[in-house]
């Protein structure tokens, strides 16, 4: 009798373990949100990213200085002090400038720094006036190859548009409890600049670029049909950054 009573709970526990194991195979992994372009995006004023001399100061580099933005449409933000993100291919640190203009060409902001290989980001300082809702702006990253020969500088140019946040999104963002939830909300709402900025911020805290790489892959997928060359460049940058981790 004792042996029989001891076997029953053993069989019962094994049955539960088996059930849990079988159920776990049916639980789909949590998928990160994909970037969804805005419904009626603005078309870029420029042809897109403008690069010279191969897009790198180093002649042996196949990668290019690249503004990490949509190419087929103007990326959007709800921030009055947005963050600008780009990729630097060169290993050697060089002088680098970030410039922000109105769409008519008036210089609003300029800052200088040393370049670092990989993805870089800079936020518009909070002590400056906020960018206006409904307006588009142009920004440039200038990599100085030779201070004595400005014509050798490598330039990447992109646009940004400030839009009014939808009330439901503001409510959802206020309720979001994790960085990934905020990244997902921005990405699903077509707010590329806010999504990549939040992902960059999360990467600094977690020491992982998983969210950034996922967004780049998502953007590359969304750009693949209209602009395969741009999609391929984004995938190249993603692969480079993944190897650097």
């Amino acid at each position: 009798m004792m042996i029989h009573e001891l076997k029953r709970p053993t069989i019962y526990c094994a049955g539960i373990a088996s059930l849990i194991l079988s159920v776990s195979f049916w639980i789909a992994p949590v998928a990160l949100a994909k970037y969804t372009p805005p419904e009626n995006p603005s078309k870029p004023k420029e042809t897109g990213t403008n690069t010279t001399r191969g897009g790198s100061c180093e002649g042996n580099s196949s990668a290019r200085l690249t503004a990490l933005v949509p190419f087929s449409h103007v990326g959007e933000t709800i921030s009055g002090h947005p963050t600008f993100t780009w990729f630097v291919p060169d290993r050697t640190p060089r002088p680098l400038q970030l410039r922000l203009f109105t769409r008519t060409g008036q210089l609003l902001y300029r800052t200088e720094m040393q370049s670092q290989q990989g993805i870089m980001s800079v936020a518009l300082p909070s002590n400056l006036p906020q960018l206006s809702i409904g307006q588009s702006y142009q920004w440039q990253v200038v990599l100085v190859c030779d201070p004595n020969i400005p014509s050798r500088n490598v330039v990447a140019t992109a646009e940004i548009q400030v839009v009014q946040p939808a009330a439901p999104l503001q409510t959802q963002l206020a309720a979001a409890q994790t960085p990934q939830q905020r990244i997902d909300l921005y990405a699903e709402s077509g707010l590329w600049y806010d999504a990549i900025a939040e992902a960059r911020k999360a990467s600094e805290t977690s020491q992982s670029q998983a969210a950034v790489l996922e967004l780049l892959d998502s953007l590359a997928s969304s750009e693949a049909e209209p602009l395969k060359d741009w999609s391929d460049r984004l995938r190249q940058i993603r692969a480079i950054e993944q190897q650097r981790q």
Side-chain angles (χ1 to χ4, degrees):
M1 178 65 66
M2 284 291 293
I3 295 176
H4 181 64
E5 289 179 350
L6 286 172
K7 283 185 177 180
R8 287 177 58 191
T10 302
I11 296 172
Y12 179 66
C13 291
I16 293 177
S18 177
L19 177 62
I20 293 174
L21 183 62
S22 63
V23 170
S24 67
F25 284 115
W26 291 93
I27 299 177
V30 178
L32 301 179
K34 302 295 184 183
Y35 170 66
T36 304
E39 291 186 5
N40 298 298
S42 298
K43 293 296 182 182
K45 178 182 177 182
E46 301 293 328
T47 56
T49 296
N50 176 27
T51 58
T52 59
R53 198 174 164 271
S56 169
C57 295
E58 299 174 356
N60 60 350
S61 175
S62 63
R64 299 181 178 185
L65 178 69
T66 302
L68 298 181
V69 298
F71 192 108
S72 62
H73 60 276
V74 177
E76 295 183 353
T77 180
I78 58 173
S79 173
H81 295 94
T83 296
F84 306 96
T85 305
W86 63 92
F87 171 79
V88 176
D90 295 6
R91 295 182 180 181
T92 303
R94 303 178 188 277
L96 184 145
Q97 297 177 3
L98 171 69
R99 305 168 180 170
L100 177 66
F101 304 86
T102 65
R103 211 172 189 194
T104 58
Q106 178 186 355
L107 180 64
L108 296 177
Y109 176 68
R110 180 175 64 187
T111 186
E112 299 182 357
M113 67 202 80
Q114 284 292 105
S115 71
Q116 297 177 358
Q117 185 184 31
I119 297 176
M120 298 182 65
S121 295
V122 168
L124 188 67
S126 59
N127 62 338
L128 295 180
Q130 292 192 44
L131 301 187
S132 301
I133 293 175
Q135 296 297 314
S136 295
Y137 300 84
Q138 185 183 82
W139 61 280
Q140 290 182 339
V141 179
V142 181
L143 190 60
V144 181
C145 299
D146 187 337
N148 298 317
I149 310 177
S151 62
R152 294 187 61 188
N153 292 349
V154 178
V155 182
T157 303
E159 286 189 72
I160 182 171
Q161 184 171 29
V162 186
V163 298
Q164 178 70 47
L169 175 62
Q170 290 179 308
T171 301
Q172 292 173 318
L173 287 170
Q177 299 181 352
T178 66
Q180 188 60 55
Q181 288 177 344
R182 289 190 290 273
I183 294 168
D184 293 350
L185 287 169
Y186 286 133
E188 291 167 348
S189 301
L191 299 169
W192 170 259
Y193 281 90
D194 304 299
I196 192 70
E198 192 71 37
R200 286 282 292 161
K201 190 187 305 181
S203 71
E204 294 173 358
T205 303
S206 64
Q207 301 297 308
S208 170
Q209 286 208 96
V212 175
L213 298 181
E214 176 71 15
L215 275 177
L216 286 178
D217 189 56
S218 177
L219 179 60
S221 296
S222 72
E223 296 281 272
E225 184 174 342
L227 294 164
K228 186 177 184 302
D229 289 348
W230 188 247
S231 175
D232 290 344
R233 188 192 294 196
L234 293 172
R235 292 192 190 282
Q236 179 192 32
I237 291 171
R238 185 195 186 284
I240 292 171
E241 288 298 292
Q242 190 168 31
Q243 290 177 355
R244 282 163 44 82
Q245 287 197 105

